[in-house]
Amino acid sequence: MINQNDQELQNEEGFREIEITVFKYNPQNKESKPEYQTYKLVETPGMTLYIALIKIWSTMDHHLSFDFVCRAGICGSCSMVVNGKPRLACKTRTSEFENGKITLLPLPTFKHIKDLSVDTGNWMNAMSVKVESWIHAKEETDISVVEKPIEPDVAQAVFDLDRCIECGICLAACSTKIMHDDFVGAVGLNRTARFAIDPHDERSDEEFYELIGDDNGVFGCMSLMGCEDHCPKDLPLQTKIAYMRRKMVKV
Ligand code: SF4
Ligand code: FES
């Protein structure tokens, strides 16, 4: 726990005070009304929004809800809208905001659970089923046999797309997702590209077309680049969407 004396001590050491305004609402509670609440706290060196929210939770508001697991940009659970842009809270430093004022909202397009907490997991699971996000081989896999080797550059390309952490930021930054609720988004299209370039997957372009050859798939994307601009893993999303679209147009 950080008490008032600690805060005063830190202020004496020259740290600035910052203001974090958080959207608070519990849709499960009929009496809850959407509102903003502002918390003032002393910024410490290297402070991330993860650290700031933990400080708020432990010293000021034990009812505040938000999601974190890894605090290292790996689990994808801490996505939220930070001063209007979807970002990972654990990888966002408070020092980036010169005036010290930060507003946090839950990620749009996902089911709102409470305050900054949303349910990305069920959506990601449904998307994985929809795009059949697993290797399709004609023959049954014999796990006693060593997997067929693939070219290093192909393996690297597959690995690159596998770096997706399912944070949902590409969907929160996507206008198509707002218009088409069933749009699989850059995360889903990236997933199909990952399997389309993997030689272990023997699906034909026609089979991929059945999964993503419509407005909820590759033809829904308007190439506004919001996904790629905000993806915290810098995945080449637009290039891979274009790759899948070229394949689907030929079907
Ligand atoms: S593609 Fe990027 S932004 Fe989208 S879910 Fe994966 S890591 Fe997050
Ligand atoms: S807490 Fe895991 S990505 Fe931020």
Side-chain angles (χ1 to χ4, degrees), residues 124 163-171 186-187 190 227 230-233 235 237:
M124 291 293 170
R163 291 185 302 110
C164 172
I165 56 173
E166 298 191 352
C167 62
I169 284 177
C170 53
L171 293 158
V187 56
N190 175 68
C227 54
H230 294 87
C231 173
K233 297 316 234 183
L235 293 182
L237 298 171

Side-chain angles (χ1 to χ4, degrees), residues 88-176:
L88 293 180
C90 72
K91 300 301 279 182
T92 304
R93 287 184 190 249
T94 54
S95 57
E96 283 181 42
F97 305 92
E98 279 177 19
N99 66 3
K101 292 189 193 319
I102 303 166
T103 302
L104 305 178
L105 287 107
L107 215 59
T109 80
F110 294 98
K111 184 180 172 202
H112 185 217
I113 297 177
K114 182 174 173 285
D115 304 336
L116 299 173
S117 177
V118 297
D119 178 0
T120 52
N122 278 318
W123 191 92
M124 291 293 170
N125 192 38
M127 175 278 294
S128 295
V129 172
K130 190 169 176 183
V131 302
E132 301 190 9
S133 176
W134 54 87
I135 294 280
H136 290 53
K138 295 210 166 36
E139 286 168 22
E140 203 168 318
T141 306
D142 180 353
I143 56 168
S144 66
V145 175
V146 176
E147 198 176 67
K148 266 190 276 173
I150 58 176
E151 292 299 323
D153 58 329
V154 177
Q156 183 60 45
V158 172
F159 171 75
D160 205 28
L161 304 189
D162 264 342
R163 291 185 302 110
C164 172
I165 56 173
E166 298 191 352
C167 62
I169 284 177
C170 53
L171 293 158
C174 175
S175 303
T176 301

Side-chain angles (χ1 to χ4, degrees), residues 5-6 12 17 27 34 37 55 62 83-84 87 95 120-121 124 149 163 169 177 194 196 199 206 209 212 216:
N5 288 343
D6 291 336
E12 279 167 21
E17 190 177 71
Q37 190 158 343
K55 203 168 182 180
H62 225 56
N83 283 7
R87 304 182 63 167
S95 57
T120 52
M124 291 293 170
R163 291 185 302 110
I169 284 177
K177 177 70 178 117
R194 178 253 175 267
E206 286 74 14
Y209 188 92
I212 56 158
N216 288 324

Side-chain angles (χ1 to χ4, degrees), residues 186-244:
V187 56
L189 297 172
N190 175 68
R191 196 72 67 79
T192 57
R194 178 253 175 267
F195 288 102
I197 62 177
D198 186 340
H200 297 111
D201 194 309
E202 295 169 309
R203 268 178 284 187
S204 64
D205 288 351
E206 286 74 14
E207 286 171 294
F208 279 113
Y209 188 92
E210 290 300 314
L211 303 174
I212 56 158
D214 61 10
D215 283 352
N216 288 324
V218 80
F219 299 118
C221 172
M222 298 186 288
S223 304
L224 297 177
M225 303 287 288
C227 54
E228 190 162 318
D229 286 349
H230 294 87
C231 173
K233 297 316 234 183
D234 293 325
L235 293 182
L237 298 171
Q238 282 298 319
T239 314
K240 293 305 161 204
I241 292 172
Y243 167 74
M244 290 309 291

